[in-house]
Amino acid sequence: MRSPVSPRPLATHQIPAWFALLLSIPLTGGLVLAFGGLIDLPHALLWPAMGVQTGIALVIALSWRHPGQTLGAANHITLLRATLVSMVGGMALLPAALPQAATALAVVSLLALMLDGVDGWVARRTGSASPYGARFDMELDALFILLLCIVLWLLGRAGAWVVLIGAMRYLFVLAMQAWPWMNRPLPESFRRKAVCVGQILALLVCLLPLLSPVLTTALLAAALGALSLSFGIDVAWLYQHRSTSIAGRHDGSTTPNPSQGVQS
């Protein structure tokens, strides 16, 4: 009988965080140029995408308290996914170029979605799972969804209401400031994960010129409805347990705030 394979570190364990974050910025530019030759992304995307990635890198640098230490193999994969998300964000800054680049942007977004989950697998495989990595992954998912919503709005595929899909998670964070009982961990939920993936898939489908305006609106409305219901279920659970001690915040059976209702 073969013995169980123990987690093994990947080669990326040697890369300090500051270097990985700095490298992600020109890497974003290189990906823009590479995709530009393959799927007709505009070269004008270069600087906007690098600018968005610079912002993401700065946020990570400010929240990562050990710049000389590595982010870890799993977080490096999440950082790679961030470069693709930055390309979506960069296109949101180029609304005039969006109609011609919508299909190419859907391809980039699909690649970003495919990478989602790989970081979690690597974290488990290498024994490097951490609350920071989970939060990094969740926050990037939230940003990704918001940017896709903005792109669809700018494309005219839906009205401004579609931005509510991406903004709801941030509205939840604001609500936590008014009602502290909402700032506590939630139990793990397959429903929450399914809603998150369903949102992204719906947004990706609507990026492509496949659906009529009526079907596009119906699909996005269904995504918003499912998200609203998911949030409602979580808020109801939080309200019912509002008087319970939150001493178990770091229990591995819970999902850390603030990301409930969308990503976990």
Side-chain angles (χ1 to χ4, degrees), residues 64-76:
W64 184 259
R65 300 181 180 180
H66 311 286
Q69 297 180 12
T70 181
L71 289 171
N75 286 335
H76 284 141

Side-chain angles (χ1 to χ4, degrees), residues 17-95:
W18 67 266
F19 183 76
L21 294 173
L22 190 63
L23 183 63
S24 72
I25 300 170
L27 175 60
T28 301
L31 289 174
V32 170
L33 296 177
F35 281 116
L38 293 173
I39 55 176
D40 296 327
L41 276 178
H43 286 176
L45 174 60
L46 179 65
W47 294 111
M50 290 178 66
V52 173
Q53 182 60 27
T54 298
I56 292 176
L58 284 174
V59 171
I60 299 171
L62 291 173
S63 61
W64 184 259
R65 300 181 180 180
H66 311 286
Q69 297 180 12
T70 181
L71 289 171
N75 286 335
H76 284 141
I77 294 176
T78 309
L79 186 60
L80 174 62
R81 185 158 61 92
T83 64
L84 300 175
V85 173
S86 293
M87 293 166 68
V88 179
M91 284 304 307
L93 299 174
L94 300 171

Side-chain angles (χ1 to χ4, degrees), residues 228-242:
S228 300
L229 178 61
S230 182
F231 264 104
I233 292 172
D234 286 338
V235 170
W237 187 92
L238 289 168
Y239 183 77
Q240 291 170 1
H241 295 80
R242 65 190 181 282

Side-chain angles (χ1 to χ4, degrees), residues 96-247:
L98 274 174
Q100 292 75 31
T103 300
L105 195 59
V107 173
V108 172
S109 299
L110 179 60
L111 291 175
L113 178 60
M114 291 171 64
L115 277 178
D116 194 11
V118 174
D119 47 10
W121 180 86
V122 170
R124 293 186 295 271
R125 184 72 178 83
T126 61
S128 59
S130 69
Y132 184 91
R135 180 67 179 272
F136 182 15
D137 181 65
M138 293 174 187
E139 295 293 351
L140 188 61
D141 282 345
L143 178 62
F144 185 30
I145 291 171
L146 177 60
L147 291 173
L148 285 174
C149 292
I150 292 173
V151 166
L152 286 173
W153 173 41
L154 293 174
L155 278 170
R157 303 283 172 84
W161 60 268
V162 73
V163 180
L164 282 174
I165 296 176
M168 195 172 292
R169 173 260 184 275
Y170 299 101
L171 293 174
F172 191 97
V173 174
L174 290 176
M176 288 194 308
Q177 311 308 311
W179 298 290
W181 52 266
M182 297 177 68
N183 187 18
R184 58 164 295 141
L186 282 163
E188 288 288 345
S189 169
F190 175 78
R191 175 258 308 162
R192 201 177 301 121
K193 296 175 182 179
V195 168
C196 175
V197 174
Q199 285 177 85
I200 298 177
L201 287 175
L203 294 169
L204 288 183
V205 169
C206 291
L207 266 179
L208 299 170
L210 300 176
L211 303 179
S212 67
V214 172
L215 289 178
T216 297
T217 299
L219 181 57
L220 292 174
L224 178 57
L227 178 60
S228 300
L229 178 61
S230 182
F231 264 104
I233 292 172
D234 286 338
V235 170
W237 187 92
L238 289 168
Y239 183 77
Q240 291 170 1
H241 295 80
R242 65 190 181 282
S243 60
T244 306
S245 170
I246 61 173

